[in-house]
Amino acid sequence: MASPLILVTNDDGVYAPGIRALLDAMQSLGNAFVVAPERDNSAVSHALTMDRPLRVLELEKNIYTLDGTPTDCVALAVNKILPDRPDLIVSGINPGQNLGDDISYSGTVSAAIEGTMYGIPSLAFSLTGPPPYSFEVAAGVAWKLASMALIWRQPAGTLLNINIPPIAAADIKGIRFTRQGTRRYKDAIQETYDPWGRKHYWIGGGTVQWSEGEGTDDRAVHEGYVSVTPIQLDLTNVEGLAYLEREWMM
Amino acid sequence: MASPLILVTNDDGVYAPGIRALLDAMQSLGNAFVVAPERDNSAVSHALTMDRPLRVLELEKNIYTLDGTPTDCVALAVNKILPDRPDLIVSGINPGQNLGDDISYSGTVSAAIEGTMYGIPSLAFSLTGPPPYSFEVAAGVAWKLASMALIWRQPAGTLLNINIPPIAAADIKGIRFTRQGTRRYKDAIQETYDPWGRKHYWIGGGTVQWSEGEGTDDRAVHEGYVSVTPIQLDLTNVEGLAYLEREWMM
């Protein structure tokens, strides 16, 4: 196979250490390009910038940045920046987990959703906490899984959401293919006051309860495995559709 | 049943005509509160604001706004603003369709995703184009479907994504329960230049190809039906999981 063309992006910005580690790993697999946001875009989800034009800057050879979201980066990379259609899109490495329902908020995962919409195999990588984050082991895992993705096919319309535990390579027990877990936040909004004494709310903090169900992404990581979850674009609840047709139809 | 508590939100901002039409319809069903963004948040997807505090303003009785995203509005409404846990969350009415893969970008749909995460029945309403948009018929449809949602149960972990065709009430053929279609954009990024001659890209425009498949949301609307799609939070591709375990397992 000719040297594969690989797009590297993230939601933490082009200068984040996680994307540099991922780029290093991808450069040993193929012809890697970075197209990433200028600044932190965590929790921007699948936001797309349509109300203003975007300017692309080439920072150094094959490394581009723009003043937009991770989704913008994938759309412009695929359609305008890269010399050809990429064989693989990788996003990350995010410092912090993207597990369970939280992936819906994630810029890291959304970049892989956008890539999947173009029919390109796409992987999202996150290193679970707590900080400080050292990306060396995670980059090795990313190298291995990206190699596999270049050889084997992914299910159609499906990205892989990958979470890596923050432990030494020798302590990682292996890879588990998992399903998306659920989480519930408790007291995740704090009250604070501005200098004029006016109440504000700040989203964050609180405590998290994980499903810890059999076969879930969160359990795999907590037990020391790399979690690989196939995430599909089609959100239809097929069983729910049958229920509605039975119970709601007038 | 006691008068139900209903949260009304949107992604177009508290002053948008679509949310006023929706509020009017909901006020005849129960005790309705608006918590909506100060300004247009279209295509913000499920973005959550965590990097700064949010200030809530009460504009008039039971109508609140904040300088954040639709997801922020639902989180603050449920946890901090409403007098009790709402019985129903409705989002919209969005001027323009939210069909197929595009729902992933939608602030309107994401508000309903956030409500579903709290286990509250949630409906997203969109009026398909072209403009100009007249919300009267759509508000009547919203009234009917919200009434049904207060009587019958929705499938667990599932919101309803509702698209209404832009035709007279007498011409609407009925309600169809549908699956999410797919769409492909072509030439959806335009090139433009700033006053200093520097090239920029502007996402938008181009042509759209719909799947027009049997049972899809886009086909229902194009044929004159109200489309109701059950959208689930669990994005796991269950068949894809079996495939990966068979083909990728080392």
Side-chain angles (χ1 to χ4, degrees):
Chain A
M1 164 161 94
S3 182
L5 185 61
I6 303 173
L7 170 63
V8 183
T9 190
N10 75 347
D11 73 346
D12 297 301
V14 69
Y15 298 107
I19 197 169
R20 291 299 167 142
L22 188 56
L23 174 62
D24 286 348
M26 294 305 113
Q27 280 172 333
S28 71
L29 277 179
N31 186 16
F33 283 71
V34 167
V35 182
E38 280 176 11
R39 60 185 75 88
D40 184 18
N41 269 262
S42 296
V44 300
S45 186
H46 199 205
L48 185 70
T49 305
M50 299 193 296
D51 60 352
R52 60 180 172 84
L54 298 164
R55 187 164 174 226
V56 176
L57 297 175
E58 184 169 6
L59 296 178
E60 46 186 285
K61 189 173 180 306
N62 292 4
I63 299 189
Y64 297 84
T65 188
L66 55 89
D67 55 336
T69 68
T71 301
D72 298 335
C73 289
V74 172
L76 289 188
V78 170
N79 289 293
K80 297 291 180 184
I81 302 172
L82 297 196
D84 206 343
R85 184 180 163 86
D87 299 294
L88 184 70
I89 297 176
V90 294
S91 175
I93 299 169
N94 191 67
Q97 63 192 24
N98 276 303
L99 293 168
D101 300 327
D102 280 353
I103 62 172
S104 172
Y105 305 108
S106 163
T108 308
V109 174
S110 293
I113 290 177
E114 187 71 8
T116 306
M117 285 188 177
Y118 287 106
I120 299 164
S122 299
L123 310 177
F125 293 101
S126 304
L127 173 59
T128 69
Y133 296 96
S134 163
F135 293 99
E136 203 179 323
V137 173
V141 172
W143 183 90
K144 183 172 182 181
L145 283 162
S147 307
M148 293 168 72
L150 286 167
I151 298 169
W152 290 304
R153 285 192 312 114
Q154 285 173 227
T158 299
L159 65 101
L160 300 184
N161 180 39
I162 295 151
N163 281 272
I164 301 156
I167 53 182
D171 295 331
I172 292 181
K173 292 183 184 162
I175 291 172
R176 264 198 202 155
F177 297 103
T178 58
R179 64 186 170 87
Q180 179 186 331
T182 56
R183 66 95 189 88
R184 294 286 171 271
Y185 284 99
K186 200 165 177 289
D187 304 324
I189 300 176
Q190 315 308 319
E191 299 187 5
T192 182
Y193 292 83
D194 70 12
W196 299 271
R198 297 177 301 197
K199 187 158 79 171
H200 286 57
Y201 298 103
W202 206 323
I203 297 174
T207 54
V208 180
Q209 279 194 309
W210 288 100
S211 55
E212 281 286 353
E214 187 71 45
T216 57
D217 48 6
D218 51 292
R219 185 187 274 199
V221 168
H222 295 160
E223 292 183 353
Y225 291 85
V226 173
S227 167
V228 179
T229 313
I231 296 294
Q232 61 189 1
L233 299 187
D234 183 352
L235 313 181
T236 313
N237 180 344
V238 178
E239 286 175 31
L241 190 53
Y243 169 86
L244 289 170
E245 282 173 343
R246 200 171 58 238
E247 302 291 329
W248 277 46
M249 196 48 105
M250 291 131 289
Chain B
M1 163 159 97
S3 182
L5 185 61
I6 303 173
L7 170 62
V8 183
T9 190
N10 76 347
D11 73 345
D12 297 301
V14 70
Y15 297 108
I19 197 169
R20 292 297 166 142
L22 188 56
L23 173 63
D24 287 347
M26 294 305 113
Q27 278 171 334
S28 70
L29 277 179
N31 187 15
F33 283 72
V34 167
V35 183
E38 280 176 10
R39 59 183 76 88
D40 184 19
N41 269 262
S42 296
V44 301
S45 187
H46 199 204
L48 186 71
T49 305
M50 298 191 297
D51 59 354
R52 59 178 172 84
L54 298 164
R55 188 167 174 221
V56 176
L57 296 175
E58 183 171 5
L59 296 178
E60 45 187 288
K61 189 173 180 308
N62 291 6
I63 299 188
Y64 297 83
T65 189
L66 56 90
D67 54 336
T69 68
T71 301
D72 298 335
C73 289
V74 172
L76 288 189
V78 170
N79 290 294
K80 296 290 179 185
I81 301 172
L82 296 197
D84 206 342
R85 183 180 164 85
D87 299 293
L88 184 69
I89 297 177
V90 293
S91 173
I93 300 169
N94 191 65
Q97 64 192 21
N98 276 303
L99 294 168
D101 299 329
D102 279 352
I103 63 173
S104 171
Y105 304 109
S106 164
T108 307
V109 174
S110 294
I113 290 176
E114 187 71 9
T116 306
M117 285 186 177
Y118 287 107
I120 297 164
S122 299
L123 310 177
F125 293 101
S126 304
L127 174 60
T128 68
Y133 296 96
S134 164
F135 293 99
E136 203 179 323
V137 173
V141 171
W143 183 90
K144 183 171 182 179
L145 283 163
S147 307
M148 293 168 72
L150 285 168
I151 298 171
W152 290 304
R153 285 191 314 114
Q154 284 173 225
T158 299
L159 66 102
L160 300 185
N161 180 39
I162 294 152
N163 282 271
I164 301 157
I167 54 182
D171 295 332
I172 291 181
K173 292 184 185 161
I175 291 171
R176 266 199 199 153
F177 297 103
T178 57
R179 64 186 170 87
Q180 178 187 332
T182 57
R183 66 92 189 89
R184 293 288 170 269
Y185 284 100
K186 199 165 177 290
D187 304 323
I189 301 176
Q190 315 309 319
E191 299 188 5
T192 183
Y193 291 83
D194 70 13
W196 300 271
R198 298 177 300 197
K199 187 157 78 172
H200 284 59
Y201 298 103
W202 206 323
I203 297 175
T207 55
V208 180
Q209 279 194 310
W210 289 100
S211 55
E212 282 286 352
E214 188 70 46
T216 57
D217 50 5
D218 51 293
R219 184 187 274 197
V221 168
H222 295 160
E223 293 183 353
Y225 291 85
V226 173
S227 167
V228 179
T229 313
I231 296 294
Q232 62 189 0
L233 299 187
D234 183 353
L235 313 181
T236 312
N237 180 343
V238 177
E239 286 176 32
L241 190 53
Y243 170 87
L244 289 169
E245 281 174 343
R246 199 170 61 237
E247 302 291 331
W248 277 47
M249 198 45 110
M250 287 130 292

